[in-house]
């Protein structure tokens, strides 16, 4: 792979036409999400609704004008059910395929492997002979796509996205990838992360006449591409990425290129792999590569721009270079245990977190259990180090959505009971250590402790496989306002009393950094310290 600095190629890179290598059926064409023009104070960019490939009917939509307050998906409304919101949520996952005749199917499978990163929306864009096809939908990957829909997505290039939206923002128009038309032709993008300067960029763009069709910060990138004075689409993408600040792992597709970009701090993960037929694969995690039998090659480096086209693969770098600040919560909670993230095994990290807890916060107990699924590996590490049996003391239901019907007569802790069921034979008469990945508001933890004691546990000791969370994240994670974080408001002892457990211990921050050794300086710990590598423009009230 060739590696080049952007400055040395700005004047030499040009967009080139590429025909499909594979004879595929005639596609159903899709209208672009945006029809953008270069910046002109006297004219406005015109928009059209992002359509489903099976429904080309235009729908009404709200336009955001410059006198309206810009909003981001990262600003959320209160949800009525704390039991399902008292966990952090990763905003999304991305995938990209180049050079495979079954690109849409491989992208579908990759998104299925990344489903844990977002469950409320999914979309795929393919390019065949320079023409774009789009299929977005609300719901799980398996609900959005079927054989018939995938047959309508021919082409050997595809990008895809799974999305977790915050409450009130789960709308089809916010489902990615987005497709836009600009002076260089059509371009599509899928984004994992959050732009901390989104509000000011959007306001500035609206002053020039830009009209936004969604509440997603990702749309800013498309407008920046359209407004760029660069000489071709690739340099316009690079120009746009150098203007946004914060966390982003992006995959773009043009009529003849696939472009993968990671922010200069490397907050969010993005990896590259190859299949046996030579096709290129990009994904948020290596578990997606495993499913489609792609060999993991390496991470996309912080600040790197990888361009894949008919001439091969080229590596460029953004002009901005910063110290690496990878999100530590990818190892604590977000990523699948079978993934390699930031060059480290997620499974091994979580097991070692549990071992540290057993060493530094031991307690006499009879059994170790986990809050499934994210606490399981840390609980295994705790049990092994402590020499105490690990058992499945809580069984998680995999069939609970965010909407359910509660009986007329109120049942205490109904939401938690619907999702988690204690195993009385494991718990009754026992001193129980229960391991979880984190505590956010504390509402769910208190209900879990009550469930375990009602099931007969004589003692319940909580062990948390992360340090106390005292600050919100602005880099693509759905966290509450800082004042709602229980560790921000209360001491560990006060938190213990609120939760109702017999003892409470968190993973010590210094021990976490010691475990990471020489890699420790390359992680972002803002949620534990309040020290932000890229300060947000304004700490918006999120709930």
């Amino acid at each position: 792979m060739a590696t080049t600095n952007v400055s040395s190629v700005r004047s030499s890179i040009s967009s080139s036409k590429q025909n499909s290598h594979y004879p595929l059926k005639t596609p159903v064409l899709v209208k672009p999400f945006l029809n953008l023009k270069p910046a002109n104070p006297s004219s406005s960019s015109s928009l059209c609704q992002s359509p489903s490939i099976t429904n080309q009917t235009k729908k009404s939509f709200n336009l955001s004008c410059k006198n309206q307050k810009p909003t981001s998906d990262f600003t959320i409304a209160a949800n009525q059910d704390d039991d399902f919101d008292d966990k952090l949520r990763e905003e999304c996952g991305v995938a990209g395929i180049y050079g495979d005749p079954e690109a849409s199917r491989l992208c579908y499978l990759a998104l299925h492997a990344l489903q844990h990163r977002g469950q409320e929306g999914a979309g795929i864009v393919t390019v065949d002979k320079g023409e774009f096809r789009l299929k977005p939908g609300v719901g799980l990957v398996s609900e959005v796509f079927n054989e018939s829909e995938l047959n309508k997505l021919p082409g050997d290039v595809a990008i895809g996205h799974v999305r977790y939206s915050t409450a009130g923002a789960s709308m089809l128009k916010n489902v990615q990838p987005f497709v836009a038309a600009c002076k260089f032709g059509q371009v599509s993008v899928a984004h994992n992360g959050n732009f901390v300067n989104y509000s000011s960029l959007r306001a500035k763009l609206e002053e020039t006449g830009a009209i936004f069709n969604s509440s997603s910060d990702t749309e800013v990138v498309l407008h920046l591409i359209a407004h760029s004075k660069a000489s071709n689409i690739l340099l316009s993408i690079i120009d746009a990425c150098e203007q946004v600040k914060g966390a982003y792992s992006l995959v773009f597709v043009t009529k003849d290129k696939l472009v993968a970009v990671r922010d200069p701090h490397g907050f969010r993960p993005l990896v590259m792999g190859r299949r046996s037929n030579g096709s290129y694969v990009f994904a948020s995690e290596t578990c997606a590569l495993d499913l489609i039998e792609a060999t993991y090659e390496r991470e996309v480096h912080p600040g790197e721009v990888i361009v894949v086209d008919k001439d091969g693969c080229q590596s460029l770098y953004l002009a901005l270079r910063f110290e690496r600040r990878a999100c530590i919560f990818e190892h604590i909670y977000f990523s699948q245990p079978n993934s390699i993230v930031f060059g480290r095994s997620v499974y091994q990290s979580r097991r070692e977190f549990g071992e540290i807890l057993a060493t530094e916060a031991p307690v006499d107990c009879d059994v170790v259990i986990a809050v499934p699924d994210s606490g399981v590996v840390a609980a295994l590490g705790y049990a092994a180090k402590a020499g105490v049996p690990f058992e499945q003391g809580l069984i998680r239901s995999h069939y609970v959505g965010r909407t359910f019907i509660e009986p007329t007569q109120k049942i205490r802790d109904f939401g938690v009971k619907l999702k988690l069921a204690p195993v009385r034979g494991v718990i009754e008469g026992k001193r129980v250590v229960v391991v979880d990945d984190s505590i956010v508001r504390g509402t769910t933890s208190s209900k879990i402790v009550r469930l375990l004691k009602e099931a007969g546990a004589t003692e319940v000791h909580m062990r948390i496989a992360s340090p106390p969370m005292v600050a919100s994240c602005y880099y693509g994670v759905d966290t509450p306002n800082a004042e709602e974080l229980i560790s921000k408001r209360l001491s560990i002892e006060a938190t213990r009393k609120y939760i109702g457990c017999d003892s409470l211990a968190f993973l010590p921050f210094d021990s976490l950094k010691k475990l990471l050794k020489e890699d420790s300086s390359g992680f972002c710990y803002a949620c534990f310290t309040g020290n932000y590598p890229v300060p947000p423009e304004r700490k918006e009230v999120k709930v």
Side-chain angles (χ1 to χ4, degrees):
M1 175 188 297
T3 302
T4 313
N5 191 287
V6 169
S7 61
S8 67
V9 297
R10 288 187 184 275
S11 61
S12 62
I13 299 177
S14 62
S15 298
S16 60
K17 295 182 179 180
Q18 177 188 359
N19 292 323
S20 172
H21 296 292
Y22 306 97
L24 298 174
K25 63 178 66 177
T26 303
V28 177
L29 302 185
V30 66
K31 294 181 180 180
F33 169 71
L34 300 169
N35 185 18
L36 302 178
K37 299 178 181 179
N40 185 342
S42 63
S43 65
S44 298
S45 302
S46 61
L47 302 178
C48 65
Q49 173 69 17
S50 172
S52 166
I53 199 164
T54 57
N55 183 7
Q56 299 295 326
T57 303
K58 290 185 179 180
K59 300 178 182 179
S60 61
F61 56 89
N62 295 322
L63 297 179
S64 172
C65 300
K66 63 184 179 182
N67 61 338
Q68 293 180 299
K69 180 181 177 182
T71 58
S72 168
D73 283 345
F74 203 58
T75 303
I76 65 176
N79 192 286
Q80 298 299 313
D81 180 24
D82 286 339
D83 297 337
F84 291 89
D85 275 352
D86 197 25
K87 278 288 186 184
L88 298 183
R89 296 287 193 267
E90 170 61 68
E91 292 277 345
C92 44
V94 299
I97 313 288
Y98 184 93
D100 198 294
E102 292 194 282
S104 63
R105 283 170 168 74
L106 294 174
C107 194
Y108 161 80
L109 292 172
L111 294 181
H112 193 277
L114 299 172
Q115 187 75 85
H116 59 284
R117 300 183 75 89
Q119 297 88 46
E120 295 194 12
I124 292 176
V125 163
T126 62
V127 181
D128 177 49
K129 299 177 183 177
E131 302 293 349
F132 284 58
R133 292 120 206 114
L134 166 67
K135 170 57 183 177
V138 175
L140 300 176
V141 175
S142 59
E143 296 169 339
V144 174
F145 299 99
N146 54 36
E147 185 72 21
S148 175
E149 296 294 347
L150 292 173
N151 285 338
K152 298 174 184 177
L153 296 172
D156 65 347
V157 183
I159 62 171
H161 187 268
V162 288
R163 178 174 187 270
Y164 167 76
S165 69
T166 49
S170 180
M171 310 173 197
L172 184 60
K173 68 181 180 181
N174 283 328
V175 175
Q176 298 178 37
F178 292 156
V179 179
C182 66
K183 61 185 177 183
F184 297 115
Q186 286 185 294
V187 59
S188 180
V189 63
H191 172 209
N192 174 208
N194 194 67
F195 303 138
V196 299
N197 63 337
Y198 161 73
S199 296
S200 63
L201 285 174
R202 177 165 177 159
K204 182 179 178 180
L205 287 162
E206 287 177 330
E207 288 291 334
T208 67
I211 301 173
F212 284 75
N213 190 40
S214 76
S215 61
S216 171
D217 59 345
T218 309
E219 192 178 343
V220 165
V221 175
L222 295 175
H223 282 280
L224 291 174
I225 290 171
H227 286 65
S228 173
K229 304 300 184 184
S231 60
N232 59 61
I233 187 64
L234 175 57
L235 293 181
S236 297
I237 290 172
I238 292 170
D239 183 30
C241 291
E242 290 179 343
Q243 294 182 62
V244 294
K245 297 178 182 178
Y248 55 89
S249 287
L250 298 159
V251 286
F252 296 89
V253 65
T254 70
K255 62 182 179 180
D256 59 0
K257 302 180 191 301
L258 189 151
V259 182
V261 188
R262 196 164 167 218
D263 73 78
H265 285 286
F267 285 106
R268 307 254 68 85
L270 189 63
V271 297
M272 180 176 71
R274 298 288 297 275
R275 299 192 76 236
S276 59
N277 64 355
S279 59
Y280 290 85
V281 180
F282 296 89
S284 292
E285 294 181 36
T286 60
C287 62
L289 306 185
D290 295 339
L291 181 58
I292 62 174
E293 296 183 338
T295 302
Y296 169 68
E297 292 205 337
R298 64 175 179 85
E299 289 187 284
V300 176
H301 300 145
E304 187 177 18
V305 181
I306 296 182
V307 185
V308 185
D309 59 20
K310 62 182 178 61
D311 297 321
C313 186
Q314 184 179 20
S315 175
L316 313 172
Y317 282 88
L318 301 176
L320 306 172
R321 302 300 297 273
F322 300 107
E323 293 182 352
R324 184 187 182 103
R325 289 293 183 269
C327 175
I328 188 61
F329 251 92
E330 292 286 349
H331 277 265
I332 291 170
Y333 176 59
F334 298 131
S335 298
Q336 286 286 79
N338 59 317
S339 286
I340 305 295
V341 175
F342 308 135
R344 301 178 63 91
S345 164
V346 175
Y347 184 97
Q348 189 60 33
S349 291
R350 292 180 187 172
R351 187 175 179 95
E352 289 176 347
F353 296 160
E355 292 173 355
I356 291 173
L357 283 170
T359 301
E360 301 201 19
V363 64
D364 290 334
C365 63
D366 302 306
V367 66
V368 175
I369 68 171
V371 177
D373 294 315
S374 55
V376 170
V377 180
L380 287 169
Y382 188 102
K385 194 71 173 179
V388 178
F390 169 80
E391 299 284 354
Q392 275 192 289
L394 289 169
I395 305 299
R396 177 174 176 252
S397 171
H398 293 271
Y399 308 103
V400 179
R402 294 176 64 88
T403 303
F404 51 83
I405 299 172
E406 188 169 354
T408 304
Q409 184 176 352
K410 183 73 174 179
I411 296 177
R412 187 173 69 168
D413 305 333
F414 179 71
V416 166
K417 287 179 178 177
L418 201 68
K419 191 173 184 180
L420 298 173
V423 182
R424 185 174 291 272
V426 171
I427 295 165
E428 192 169 22
K430 304 285 183 61
R431 298 169 298 174
V432 179
V433 166
V434 56
V435 181
D436 202 356
D437 60 273
S438 60
I439 294 181
V440 183
R441 296 184 181 92
T443 53
T444 298
S445 297
S446 64
K447 294 172 183 180
I448 288 172
V449 170
R450 191 155 55 238
L451 282 181
L452 294 173
K453 291 198 171 184
E454 288 174 354
T458 59
E459 297 176 12
V460 177
H461 303 274
M462 290 286 294
R463 294 295 180 266
I464 308 302
S466 66
M469 192 183 310
V470 298
S472 296
C473 176
Y474 294 88
Y475 307 131
V477 178
D478 171 22
T479 50
N481 182 276
E483 297 307 315
E484 292 190 56
L485 299 170
I486 192 169
S487 294
K488 172 73 172 178
R489 298 183 291 107
L490 303 177
S491 66
I492 293 179
E493 175 58 20
T495 302
R496 182 198 67 77
K497 291 179 179 179
Y498 174 82
I499 290 173
C501 55
D502 294 277
S503 73
L504 171 66
F506 291 84
L507 180 69
F509 182 59
D510 290 341
S511 298
L512 170 61
K513 296 186 73 174
K514 184 177 179 181
L515 170 65
L516 297 172
K517 298 177 182 177
E518 65 273 7
D519 294 333
S520 63
S521 62
F523 283 91
C524 174
Y525 308 105
C527 52
F528 306 139
T529 65
N531 298 321
Y532 295 100
V534 183
E537 288 183 334
R538 54 194 178 94
K539 298 180 180 180
E540 298 175 89
V541 176
K542 301 178 185 176
V543 176

